[in-house]
Amino acid sequence: MKDIYPPPDEPFPGPFGGPAPTDLLAFRDRLYFSAIDFAAGQGALWRSNGTTASTVPVKHLDDAPGRLTVVGNQLFFTGGFSEEHGNELWVSDGTTAGTRLVKDLTPASGTAFLENFIAVGDTLFFFRVVRMPIIFSSELELWRSDGTAEGTVRVTELGQEGTFNGPLELASVGGRLFMSFGKTDTGTELWVSDGTAGGTHLVKDIFPGSSSSFPRNLTPAAGVLYFSADDGEHGRELWRSDGTEQGTELVEDTRPGPEGSEAQPITVFKQRLYFATFAPLYAATELRKLNPDPSCHPRSQRVATIPNPYANIPREFFIFVSTFTATERKLYFTLYYDVGSPAPADVQLWRTDGTRKGTKLLYQPLLVSPDLLPPRPVPTDDGRVVFYAYDEAHGHELWVTNGQPSGTRLLQDINPGPASSYPQDLLRAGDFIYFTALDGVHGREIWTLPVPHPEEAVQPKSSRE
């Protein structure tokens, strides 16, 4: 799209390729991202509508912006570190004039880090870690902001270093923030906040005492939160919560006994909550679905059973759904086979239409490098999805599928031959799919793929203008 960084003097080893644009994000049908000019010692917030000419800096800063997060019609981010303000909260409407410091949150002494940004309705929730050099300790605070100095306030203190663990996961449901958060007396459990000190509290000590239920895969569905947890009696199973202790309950004991099914909620597709469970020793993955309506207690239905092709290997396996994308007709998901080594044993792309026959393996392996994250397929407008995958002839490159094994193919060999372009950061903004990649010449830069309309076919070339 544009050569933001000059070509490196020498090839940078591995899939990263040296300095690169980061924090790619869609806002107002445009791409926004962060980049830093090392020669000038400046960072900047950038924007683009997919052409070289439109790819311009919005605001220059002392450091690279981070944690770009869209909240309603505003874009929040951290401005990096500056001598004047430290690490502070910024907001933008997408223009230079509308990009400004929200509030100076850093104390006169000590250092503060802003973390875990999340949109809850039209409000930004975030956490501030304050490190005080005199007592060599840290304090965790929950904050919220509406983009104004007056509306940026501390919700509550969550504890000093050694008394808390987390937050590990966050989710927004019904105008409230849910989080998996740990305290020394309760362990890591489910918490909720309505943006007030009194409304920020432990929901339920699911595994009573100092032991942890470790809520994971926090997933909104039908106005409540679904998640997995281990209560010490049923193993890790599917739970749900409306934010109250009484309304936090085990949904289904899929595999009775203390081992549990290692249930993992995925997402809502065709008005059903899809989740995965796993047979003992991860011999197979079961894809299941249920009606998420909180007023009823339905039993789940098994959609399909996916055998573990490596089950006879005498090693400890872990399988989990690493990424997913729901389109109108299909749910795409990736299964990650972990054997404890740096590189995965396998990463597979599957799709389902909600039936056993309609659940199919599309491609494997998606990646073989231990340094890459599994791709999240990005939908186009013609029923296809774009992702990246590996083969011996081309390395890690950009692929496309129409949901059929025969329609799953290489889209373009950006770095020709067995060398990889290592595509990353795929996202849709406006009429383009954006991603970063290495072409062997320019280092890691942003590339664009025009999104075809329903009457068009995916062209077999992406463009770097």
Side-chain angles (χ1 to χ4, degrees), residues 22-161:
T22 61
D23 292 84
L24 278 65
L25 178 137
F27 177 53
R28 295 187 172 183
D29 287 334
R30 291 184 176 185
L31 171 71
Y32 285 75
F33 62 94
S34 171
I36 187 167
D37 184 339
F38 291 99
Q42 269 194 331
L45 175 69
W46 288 68
R47 71 167 181 254
S48 176
N49 66 8
T51 67
T52 300
S54 69
T55 305
V56 295
V58 176
K59 183 79 172 181
H60 289 284
L61 303 163
D62 289 345
D63 199 355
R67 308 198 184 283
L68 276 62
T69 304
V70 174
V71 183
N73 59 0
Q74 300 185 97
L75 172 61
F76 287 87
F77 60 94
T78 60
F81 285 92
S82 69
E83 294 183 1
E84 182 180 1
H85 298 293
N87 184 236
E88 297 299 350
L89 181 67
W90 288 69
V91 71
S92 177
D93 63 1
T95 68
T96 300
T99 303
R100 56 182 170 78
L101 177 71
V102 177
K103 190 173 184 178
D104 192 347
L105 304 180
T106 304
S109 62
T111 304
F113 300 89
L114 308 185
E115 301 176 343
N116 300 100
F117 284 23
I118 184 173
V120 180
D122 290 330
T123 301
L124 174 76
F125 280 67
F126 63 97
F127 295 82
R128 186 173 77 147
V129 180
V130 183
R131 302 191 188 280
M132 307 304 294
I134 298 178
I135 59 176
F136 299 102
S137 182
S138 299
E139 188 171 84
L140 183 68
E141 304 169 345
L142 175 63
W143 285 68
R144 59 178 169 84
S145 176
D146 62 3
T148 67
E150 298 78 13
T152 302
V153 297
R154 181 174 62 185
V155 176
T156 187
E157 296 180 5
L158 292 170
Q160 291 189 342
E161 188 173 15

Side-chain angles (χ1 to χ4, degrees), residues 109-342:
S109 62
T111 304
F113 300 89
L114 308 185
E115 301 176 343
N116 300 100
F117 284 23
I118 184 173
V120 180
D122 290 330
T123 301
L124 174 76
F125 280 67
F126 63 97
F127 295 82
R128 186 173 77 147
V129 180
V130 183
R131 302 191 188 280
M132 307 304 294
I134 298 178
I135 59 176
F136 299 102
S137 182
S138 299
E139 188 171 84
L140 183 68
E141 304 169 345
L142 175 63
W143 285 68
R144 59 178 169 84
S145 176
D146 62 3
T148 67
E150 298 78 13
T152 302
V153 297
R154 181 174 62 185
V155 176
T156 187
E157 296 180 5
L158 292 170
Q160 291 189 342
E161 188 173 15
T163 67
F164 65 86
N165 177 25
L168 301 181
E169 289 192 31
L170 307 174
S172 172
V173 186
R176 292 176 294 174
L177 171 68
F178 286 83
M179 55 184 168
S180 179
F181 182 71
K183 299 283 280 186
T184 53
D185 55 342
T186 63
T188 300
E189 299 291 349
L190 186 68
W191 282 61
V192 70
S193 176
D194 63 0
T196 67
T200 304
H201 57 83
L202 173 72
V203 176
K204 184 174 184 175
D205 193 359
I206 294 172
F207 197 140
S210 59
S211 298
S212 299
S213 71
F214 288 114
R216 296 176 187 162
N217 305 110
L218 277 56
T219 305
V224 298
L225 179 76
Y226 281 80
F227 59 99
S228 72
D230 183 351
D231 64 359
E233 178 182 354
H234 301 92
R236 181 161 295 277
E237 295 288 358
L238 185 67
W239 285 68
R240 68 182 175 190
S241 176
D242 63 0
T244 68
E245 183 175 7
Q246 298 77 14
T248 302
E249 58 185 357
L250 177 69
V251 175
E252 183 174 83
D253 190 7
T254 309
R255 193 206 305 170
E259 295 300 321
S261 67
E262 294 295 325
Q264 180 188 346
I266 302 173
T267 191
V268 174
F269 172 61
K270 293 184 176 180
Q271 300 182 322
R272 292 293 181 266
L273 175 71
Y274 280 70
F275 66 103
T277 62
F278 303 91
L281 302 179
Y282 291 91
T285 301
E286 283 195 351
L287 183 65
R288 309 183 72 91
K289 63 181 178 180
L290 59 75
N291 180 0
D293 185 347
S295 66
C296 60
H297 292 80
R299 296 285 297 179
S300 67
Q301 296 176 294
R302 182 173 57 196
V303 176
T305 299
I306 303 171
N308 179 356
Y310 310 98
N312 59 347
I313 298 177
R315 297 187 66 175
E316 187 173 7
F317 257 95
F318 298 94
I319 307 174
F320 55 93
V321 177
S322 52
T323 57
F324 57 86
T325 295
T327 66
E328 183 178 350
R329 296 183 177 181
K330 298 180 181 71
L331 170 63
Y332 294 85
F333 60 97
T334 57
L335 284 182
Y336 192 104
Y337 289 76
D338 185 355
V339 293
S341 60

